[in-house]
Amino acid sequence: MIVRKATLADVSSLKPLYLELEKDAVKFQPEHFVIGNRDEAFFEGIIKSQNQDILLAELEGQVVGFAHVMILEQKRIPCLKAERVIYLQDLDVSEKFRSRGIGAKLIEACKEYGKSHGADFMRTQVFPQNVRGMSFYERQGFSEKMKTIETYL
């Protein structure tokens, strides 16, 4: 298996993975998520960006997973340290290829990407109902730092 940066030629391989990811999001939080249409402009915006990329997991020439990462600066607030974060926006490994270490390899590649871009730490979010996902992230060294709470208006 190899991990590499996505190119525009990979868009057709990425679309079904994003659809799978969106179906999970709708399952976990239908009040916030719908199935979207990720067109070529969406992917082009990421691939041509200076502060984000999509890292692909490729197995025998087939794209089986991806991680969408962004390099962000912490908000400039007096009580926050001036740090740079690699934010994992999205991660998906095709259902039929899960539990083979592919997600772990993607996380490892994300960490290396972050280090090479001067990031101090890595952050992501997980649906609280996604017990399997939280367990995966904990095995990769993540731990809960804060909870996001909300209410309807």
Side-chain angles (χ1 to χ4, degrees), residues 17 20 25 27 29 31-32 37 39 47 49 70-71 83-84 94-95 103-104 109 112 115 124 131 134 147 149:
L17 290 169
E20 185 175 70
K27 177 178 76 174
Q29 289 192 356
E31 68 275 20
H32 290 304
N37 177 28
D39 60 11
I47 291 167
S49 172
M70 301 179 199
I71 300 295
E83 293 181 299
R84 190 171 240 210
S94 178
E95 184 72 42
E112 288 303 316
K115 287 177 190 174
T124 194
V131 176
M134 189 62 194
K147 288 188 184 235
I149 58 176

Side-chain angles (χ1 to χ4, degrees), residues 8 14-15 37 39 59 63 72 81 99 107 110 140 142:
L8 293 176
L14 283 165
K15 284 184 175 186
N37 177 28
D39 60 11
L59 188 62
V63 175
L72 305 171
K81 290 181 179 181
S99 299
I107 293 293
C110 291
Q140 306 314 309
F142 287 81

Side-chain angles (χ1 to χ4, degrees), residues 37-81:
N37 177 28
R38 306 213 184 223
D39 60 11
E40 281 71 19
F42 169 81
F43 294 102
E44 185 174 348
I46 296 168
I47 291 167
K48 290 186 174 182
S49 172
Q50 296 299 309
N51 71 327
Q52 58 184 325
D53 274 300
I54 297 175
L55 305 178
L56 298 180
E58 196 173 63
L59 188 62
E60 298 174 6
Q62 180 182 359
V63 175
V64 297
F66 77 92
H68 174 192
V69 292
M70 301 179 199
I71 300 295
L72 305 171
E73 302 293 332
Q74 285 283 72
K75 293 177 187 174
R76 298 291 184 219
I77 298 173
C79 66
L80 285 178
K81 290 181 179 181

Side-chain angles (χ1 to χ4, degrees), residues 108-128:
E108 184 180 309
C110 291
K111 289 177 180 179
E112 288 303 316
Y113 181 94
K115 287 177 190 174
S116 72
H117 285 80
D120 299 294
F121 65 97
M122 187 168 164
R123 175 179 285 153
T124 194
Q125 295 177 306
V126 182
F127 295 116

Side-chain angles (χ1 to χ4, degrees), residues 3-44:
V3 176
R4 63 175 176 81
K5 287 184 185 179
T7 67
L8 293 176
D10 296 307
V11 170
S12 62
S13 297
L14 283 165
K15 284 184 175 186
L17 290 169
Y18 266 95
L19 178 60
E20 185 175 70
L21 184 71
E22 290 173 354
K23 286 179 180 178
D24 279 348
V26 170
K27 177 178 76 174
F28 289 125
Q29 289 192 356
E31 68 275 20
H32 290 304
F33 290 89
V34 296
I35 302 301
N37 177 28
R38 306 213 184 223
D39 60 11
E40 281 71 19
F42 169 81
F43 294 102
E44 185 174 348

Side-chain angles (χ1 to χ4, degrees), residues 20 24 92-102 132:
E20 185 175 70
D24 279 348
D92 186 59
V93 174
S94 178
E95 184 72 42
K96 61 185 175 184
F97 289 97
R98 291 182 186 167
S99 299
R100 297 186 191 188
I102 295 167
R132 184 177 175 199

